[in-house]
Amino acid sequence: GVQRPPLLTDDQELVREFLLESTQNLSDFESEMVALERTPEDAQLLGSIFRRIHTVKGTCGFFGFGRLEKISHSAENILSQIRAGEK
């Protein structure tokens, strides 16, 4: 017969959702960074980029993904410095 994949546990389902959401956030992040290169004065765009990274950082913290949390925290700090320099 046909073998079915095992059902995902709740934790596995949460991680799958995290991966899907993070992949989309990082794809959008990449597009927004390219746009920011063209219009570096766009504070709204910079805010959107910051929120994406902040979301990834928070979710990594929730799951205990320490390395990814540190990387996203570093990116968030850099974006905060850029935002502060615009004011």
Side-chain angles (χ1 to χ4, degrees), residues 26-36 38 45:
L26 293 174
S27 176
D28 293 342
F29 169 82
E30 182 179 10
S31 298
E32 288 178 342
M33 288 298 289
V34 170
L36 190 64
R38 290 191 297 266
L45 184 57

Short mmCIF file of all heavy atoms in Angstrom, two decimals, residues 26-36 38 45:
data_model
loop_
_atom_site.label_atom_id
_atom_site.label_comp_id
_atom_site.label_asym_id
_atom_site.label_seq_id
_atom_site.Cartn_x
_atom_site.Cartn_y
_atom_site.Cartn_z
N LEU A 26 11.68 36.81 5.35
CA LEU A 26 13.03 37.04 4.82
C LEU A 26 13.01 37.36 3.32
O LEU A 26 13.81 38.16 2.85
CB LEU A 26 13.93 35.85 5.12
CG LEU A 26 14.24 35.65 6.61
CD1 LEU A 26 15.01 34.36 6.83
CD2 LEU A 26 15.01 36.85 7.16
N SER A 27 12.07 36.78 2.61
CA SER A 27 11.91 37.11 1.19
C SER A 27 11.47 38.57 1.04
O SER A 27 12.03 39.32 0.23
CB SER A 27 10.90 36.18 0.55
OG SER A 27 10.66 36.54 -0.79
N ASP A 28 10.49 38.97 1.84
CA ASP A 28 10.03 40.36 1.82
C ASP A 28 11.13 41.31 2.30
O ASP A 28 11.29 42.40 1.77
CB ASP A 28 8.77 40.53 2.68
CG ASP A 28 7.57 39.79 2.11
OD1 ASP A 28 7.59 39.43 0.90
OD2 ASP A 28 6.61 39.56 2.87
N PHE A 29 11.89 40.87 3.30
CA PHE A 29 13.02 41.65 3.82
C PHE A 29 14.01 41.94 2.70
O PHE A 29 14.45 43.08 2.53
CB PHE A 29 13.69 40.87 4.96
CG PHE A 29 15.02 41.41 5.40
CD1 PHE A 29 15.08 42.46 6.29
CD2 PHE A 29 16.20 40.87 4.93
CE1 PHE A 29 16.31 42.96 6.71
CE2 PHE A 29 17.43 41.36 5.34
CZ PHE A 29 17.48 42.41 6.24
N GLU A 30 14.32 40.93 1.93
CA GLU A 30 15.27 41.09 0.83
C GLU A 30 14.76 42.12 -0.19
O GLU A 30 15.50 43.02 -0.59
CB GLU A 30 15.52 39.75 0.15
CG GLU A 30 16.53 39.82 -0.97
CD GLU A 30 16.78 38.47 -1.63
OE1 GLU A 30 16.03 37.51 -1.35
OE2 GLU A 30 17.71 38.40 -2.44
N SER A 31 13.50 42.01 -0.56
CA SER A 31 12.91 42.96 -1.52
C SER A 31 12.92 44.37 -0.95
O SER A 31 13.22 45.34 -1.67
CB SER A 31 11.47 42.56 -1.84
OG SER A 31 11.44 41.29 -2.44
N GLU A 32 12.59 44.49 0.33
CA GLU A 32 12.55 45.82 0.95
C GLU A 32 13.95 46.42 1.09
O GLU A 32 14.11 47.64 0.96
CB GLU A 32 11.84 45.74 2.30
CG GLU A 32 10.35 45.53 2.16
CD GLU A 32 9.62 45.42 3.47
OE1 GLU A 32 10.26 45.15 4.53
OE2 GLU A 32 8.40 45.59 3.45
N MET A 33 14.95 45.59 1.33
CA MET A 33 16.32 46.12 1.41
C MET A 33 16.76 46.67 0.06
O MET A 33 17.42 47.70 0.00
CB MET A 33 17.27 45.02 1.90
CG MET A 33 17.13 44.67 3.36
SD MET A 33 17.49 46.04 4.48
CE MET A 33 19.26 46.18 4.28
N VAL A 34 16.41 45.98 -1.01
CA VAL A 34 16.74 46.47 -2.35
C VAL A 34 16.03 47.81 -2.59
O VAL A 34 16.63 48.77 -3.09
CB VAL A 34 16.35 45.44 -3.43
CG1 VAL A 34 16.45 46.01 -4.83
CG2 VAL A 34 17.24 44.20 -3.30
N ALA A 35 14.77 47.89 -2.19
CA ALA A 35 14.02 49.14 -2.34
C ALA A 35 14.63 50.25 -1.49
O ALA A 35 14.69 51.41 -1.91
CB ALA A 35 12.56 48.93 -1.97
N LEU A 36 15.11 49.90 -0.30
CA LEU A 36 15.71 50.90 0.59
C LEU A 36 17.01 51.45 0.00
O LEU A 36 17.33 52.63 0.21
CB LEU A 36 15.97 50.28 1.97
CG LEU A 36 16.39 51.25 3.07
CD1 LEU A 36 15.27 52.26 3.36
CD2 LEU A 36 16.76 50.50 4.34
N ARG A 38 17.40 52.14 -3.04
CA ARG A 38 16.97 53.16 -3.99
C ARG A 38 16.42 54.40 -3.29
O ARG A 38 16.53 55.50 -3.82
CB ARG A 38 15.91 52.59 -4.93
CG ARG A 38 16.45 51.56 -5.91
CD ARG A 38 15.44 51.21 -6.99
NE ARG A 38 14.24 50.60 -6.44
CZ ARG A 38 14.02 49.29 -6.32
NH1 ARG A 38 14.95 48.44 -6.71
NH2 ARG A 38 12.90 48.83 -5.82
N LEU A 45 9.54 52.44 5.05
CA LEU A 45 10.14 51.21 4.55
C LEU A 45 11.12 50.65 5.58
O LEU A 45 11.13 49.45 5.87
CB LEU A 45 10.82 51.46 3.21
CG LEU A 45 11.43 50.26 2.49
CD1 LEU A 45 10.37 49.18 2.24
CD2 LEU A 45 12.04 50.72 1.17
#
